[in-house]
């Protein structure tokens, strides 16, 4: 790296982690982006997460994952893409609804489409109840993390799905938007969040069908019980 991260608030391990992250991203995006762009994305990502992360040791990893997403988006905008459709799920805190939608989309799309999520006021962690009710249907969203949206991420998306962020959600002319009226799971128990989860799954399946992306498993039969 070029010294961008030589700051007093970083440990030796964090410096090493960021240097290693920059090297990995440079290899992944070789021929597409130079070291300056990669380091700038890592730097701004680290700064944005620094005030949110509960454990500082995870900051380099979050910065790397967010930088990778932004670089992929930028490549898409510049006409260098693998052609898969991209969907962006947005809500206020990126901790509940948009994370569940992302989990369902990635699970059902099976790599045939790309999904991202973000929040206008992103939280420090994913809603534990959302994690629990998604685990009930076999989808692990615990390894995700709330994140902001950036201009290139929105511009790269084919569809932007908003869920409750109102005027705070970014609007770009000519972009396809869908506004999903889905209750916010914040502060609700599992019995209230399960119907929200199931409604999000239904909407994700409809969206995938509309995009021409076959779901990796058939829609489950309706049945009584807490999980469906």
């Amino acid at each position: 790296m070029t010294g961008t991260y030589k700051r007093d608030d970083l440990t030796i391990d964090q410096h090493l982690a960021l240097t290693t992250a920059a090297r990995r991203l440079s290899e992944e995006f070789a021929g597409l982006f130079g070291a300056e762009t990669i380091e700038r994305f890592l730097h701004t990502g680290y700064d944005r997460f620094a005030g949110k992360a509960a454990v500082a040791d995870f900051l380099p990893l979050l910065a790397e994952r967010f930088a990778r997403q932004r670089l992929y988006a930028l490549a898409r905008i510049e006409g260098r893409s693998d052609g898969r459709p991209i969907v962006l799920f947005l809500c206020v805190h990126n901790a509940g609804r948009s994370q569940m939608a992302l989990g369902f989309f990635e699970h059902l799309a099976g790599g045939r489409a790309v999904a991202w999520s973000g929040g206008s006021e992103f939280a420090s962690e994913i809603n534990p109840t959302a994690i629990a009710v998604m685990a009930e249907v076999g989808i692990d969203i615990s390894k995700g993390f709330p994140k902001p949206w950036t201009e290139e991420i929105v511009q790269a998306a084919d569809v932007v799905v908003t869920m409750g962020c109102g005027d705070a959600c970014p609007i770009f002319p000519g972009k396809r938007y869908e506004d999903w009226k889905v209750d916010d799971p914040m502060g609700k128990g599992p019995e209230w969040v399960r119907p929200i989860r199931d409604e999000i799954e239904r909407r994700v399946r409809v969206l995938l069908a509309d995009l021409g992306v076959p779901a990796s498993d058939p829609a489950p039969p309706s049945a009584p019980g807490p999980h469906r």
Side-chain angles (χ1 to χ4, degrees):
M1 297 181 72
T2 60
T4 302
Y5 291 99
K6 293 189 180 302
R7 291 162 30 176
D8 293 338
D9 61 333
L10 300 184
T11 66
I12 294 176
D13 287 342
Q14 287 172 326
H15 278 296
L16 177 60
L18 288 169
T19 300
T20 303
R23 186 179 303 116
R24 275 195 296 262
L25 292 171
S26 294
E27 292 173 353
E28 290 177 35
F29 293 92
L32 295 178
F33 303 111
E36 182 178 349
T37 299
I38 289 171
E39 290 185 18
R40 175 167 55 86
F41 278 18
L42 272 172
H43 175 74
T44 55
Y46 186 97
D47 287 346
R48 297 184 85 162
F49 291 116
K52 297 278 188 177
V55 182
D57 289 345
F58 292 153
L59 283 171
L61 176 60
L62 297 183
E64 178 182 357
R65 291 171 64 182
F66 192 49
R68 180 176 290 105
Q69 180 176 308
R70 293 181 65 190
L71 291 166
Y72 184 96
L74 187 57
R76 172 67 175 265
I77 293 171
E78 295 180 353
R80 295 173 287 188
S81 169
D82 55 21
R84 292 178 295 171
I86 299 175
V87 175
L88 174 62
F89 297 102
L90 297 178
C91 66
V92 178
H93 300 112
N94 191 215
R97 290 168 290 187
S98 55
Q99 291 286 350
M100 289 192 285
L102 175 65
F104 275 122
F105 193 98
E106 290 183 333
H107 175 74
L108 295 171
R112 293 178 291 274
V114 176
W116 298 326
S117 67
S120 55
E121 301 174 15
F122 71 103
S124 60
E125 62 181 3
I126 298 179
N127 184 326
T129 306
I131 293 175
V133 300
M134 290 296 288
E136 292 176 352
V137 295
I139 299 177
D140 181 10
I141 63 171
S142 65
K143 296 178 178 61
F145 61 103
K147 65 192 76 67
W149 54 268
T150 63
E151 184 171 307
E152 70 274 353
I153 286 174
V154 180
Q155 289 182 331
D158 296 295
V159 183
V160 178
V161 177
T162 61
M163 289 178 276
C165 49
D167 294 339
C169 285
I171 301 296
F172 288 89
K175 182 70 60 181
R176 174 181 168 184
Y177 286 86
E178 291 190 10
D179 185 34
W180 291 2
K181 305 295 185 184
V182 181
D183 290 339
D184 188 350
M186 180 183 291
K188 295 181 172 65
E191 69 277 11
W192 294 97
V193 178
R194 289 186 186 106
I196 297 172
R197 173 202 64 195
D198 295 345
E199 175 62 13
I200 289 173
E201 179 185 7
R202 184 191 69 79
R203 289 175 179 267
V204 167
R205 288 182 179 275
V206 170
L207 177 58
L208 282 169
D210 189 48
L211 293 172
V213 177
S216 59
D217 65 348
S222 58
H227 299 338
R228 286 287 174 185

